[in-house]
């Protein structure tokens, strides 16, 4: 067993390990699901609750890195752009109230700009 394998085995059995990405595969180190997994999403929302823009910026960087890593590993299996976008950036947009704009708010905003 290599040092890398020993570290991964140690992390998987530790109950305090966070759900972090295993690069370049972009799987969760703890549960093996595509990252961000459900637990990672919850942890990210809690961590960035006071700065949702920072969450989007962080995830956009992860998306960029994931596309590069996964394409380098196997170009035919990277996934579609819409799937990758939804995996990294779609979920917080659906669950962050501060980014939801109703049609009435959008129309009011258009009338106040010059």
């Amino acid at each position: 067993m290599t040092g890398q394998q020993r570290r991964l085995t140690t992390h998987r059995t530790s109950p305090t390990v966070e759900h972090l990405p295993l690069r370049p595969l972009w799987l969760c180190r703890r549960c093996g699901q595509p990252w961000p997994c459900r637990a990672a999403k919850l942890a990210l929302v809690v961590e960035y609750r006071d700065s949702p823009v920072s969450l989007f910026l962080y995830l956009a960087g992860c998306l960029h890195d994931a596309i590069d890593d996964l394409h380098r590993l196997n170009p035919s299996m990277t996934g579609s752009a819409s799937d990758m976008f939804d995996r990294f950036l779609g979920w917080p947009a659906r669950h962050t109230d501060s980014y939801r704009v109703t049609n009435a708010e959008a129309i009011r905003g258009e009338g106040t700009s010059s």
Side-chain angles (χ1 to χ4, degrees):
M1 185 181 305
T2 68
Q4 174 77 7
Q5 290 169 328
R6 261 193 303 279
R7 279 193 302 272
L8 294 178
T9 303
T10 303
H11 288 300
R12 284 190 193 129
T13 59
S14 173
T16 61
V17 172
E18 298 173 19
H19 290 258
L20 300 172
L22 174 63
R23 293 184 64 182
L25 300 174
W26 288 89
L27 298 175
C28 177
R29 289 181 181 268
R30 184 158 188 198
C31 67
Q33 296 297 311
W35 192 90
C37 63
R38 177 179 276 182
K41 290 175 183 178
L42 180 60
L44 288 165
V45 166
V46 169
E47 181 178 350
Y48 288 96
R49 71 181 159 269
D50 295 328
S51 55
V53 172
S54 296
L55 173 61
F56 281 94
L57 292 172
Y58 170 69
L59 290 171
C62 291
L63 171 62
H64 180 270
D65 292 346
I67 289 171
D68 284 347
D69 289 346
L70 294 172
H71 185 74
R72 205 172 303 119
L73 287 175
N74 189 349
S76 65
M77 296 300 288
T78 301
S80 72
S82 63
D83 290 343
M84 293 296 288
F85 179 89
D86 193 52
R87 176 177 167 181
F88 286 89
L89 294 171
W91 66 269
R94 288 189 303 273
H95 299 289
T96 305
D97 290 332
S98 61
Y99 291 101
R100 294 189 182 139
V101 177
T102 65
N103 288 338
E105 290 172 347
I107 292 169
R108 245 188 324 237
E110 289 175 6
T112 60
S113 64
S114 43

